[in-house]
Amino acid sequence: MKTNSGFTLLEVLIAMVVLSVGLLGLAAVQATSLKNNQSAYFRSQATQLAYDMTDRMRTNKLGDYNNKAGTTDDCKTNTCTPAQMAGYDLKQWNDELAKQLPSGEGVVCIDDTPPDGTSKTAHACLGIGKAYAVKIWWDDDRDGAANQKFVMSFQL
């Protein structure tokens, strides 16, 4: 009888290569899944923060929120005017954006074309129309540029 030496070893080597390629593919699928899960989490946070700002605005209907910067007035312990409360709300909201979203920033403005704008400084708010737009940007892939945007428009 003639024996084939090394044939089984070759089969094991091929099986190991096929298994390692499969495991690398599985790792890539899991990494993509984690990235997409994190992206969905950030979008959920942006949605919740946008609703938070709209609730603040509905509570303080006399405040001027149109394209304003936040102020450091302490309206928790002091009595504030509606304008001061609007500044306080915007400051608190922007602090939460920066804390919960990577490079998170946002603006509230009156705009009849809400989806435009690329950042807080280039928000493209026209100041015309009847609806407010809450625009939020964040850096989803953490490359240094705010590449994701969430926009919600509503009327008071």
Side-chain angles (χ1 to χ4, degrees):
M1 243 179 151
K2 189 176 175 188
T3 60
N4 293 331
S5 63
F7 184 70
T8 306
L9 191 58
L10 185 61
E11 287 178 337
V12 170
L13 181 63
I14 292 171
M16 291 298 288
V17 168
V18 169
L19 180 65
S20 61
V21 168
L23 288 176
L24 284 174
L26 186 62
V29 166
Q30 186 165 6
T32 302
S33 174
L34 286 172
K35 179 181 175 237
N36 290 336
N37 191 24
Q38 187 68 33
S39 181
Y41 172 74
F42 289 148
R43 185 160 296 279
S44 296
Q45 291 299 101
T47 303
Q48 188 170 0
L49 288 165
Y51 277 108
D52 175 49
M53 191 68 232
T54 60
D55 288 343
R56 290 172 186 247
M57 292 173 69
R58 286 185 177 119
T59 302
N60 182 18
K61 289 185 179 184
L62 298 177
D64 183 14
Y65 290 88
N66 185 28
N67 202 12
K68 301 287 184 191
T71 62
T72 58
D73 293 327
D74 183 11
C75 293
K76 275 188 176 180
T77 57
N78 299 328
T79 303
C80 290
T81 65
Q84 289 172 319
M85 189 62 172
Y88 176 77
D89 287 342
L90 287 166
K91 171 79 169 98
Q92 295 295 311
W93 182 66
N94 274 298
D95 289 348
E96 282 299 312
L97 286 174
K99 187 168 39 170
Q100 294 189 28
L101 298 171
S103 302
E105 58 183 13
V107 68
V108 177
C109 58
I110 295 175
D111 193 3
D112 63 349
T113 57
D116 55 1
T118 57
S119 69
K120 186 175 181 177
T121 54
H123 50 70
C125 291
L126 301 175
I128 58 174
K130 295 181 180 179
Y132 276 94
V134 177
K135 301 181 181 186
I136 300 172
W137 295 270
W138 70 94
D139 184 8
D140 199 43
D141 56 5
R142 299 183 184 198
D143 65 351
N147 58 358
Q148 287 293 319
K149 175 173 61 172
F150 179 81
V151 178
M152 184 176 81
S153 61
F154 69 100
Q155 290 184 350
L156 282 179

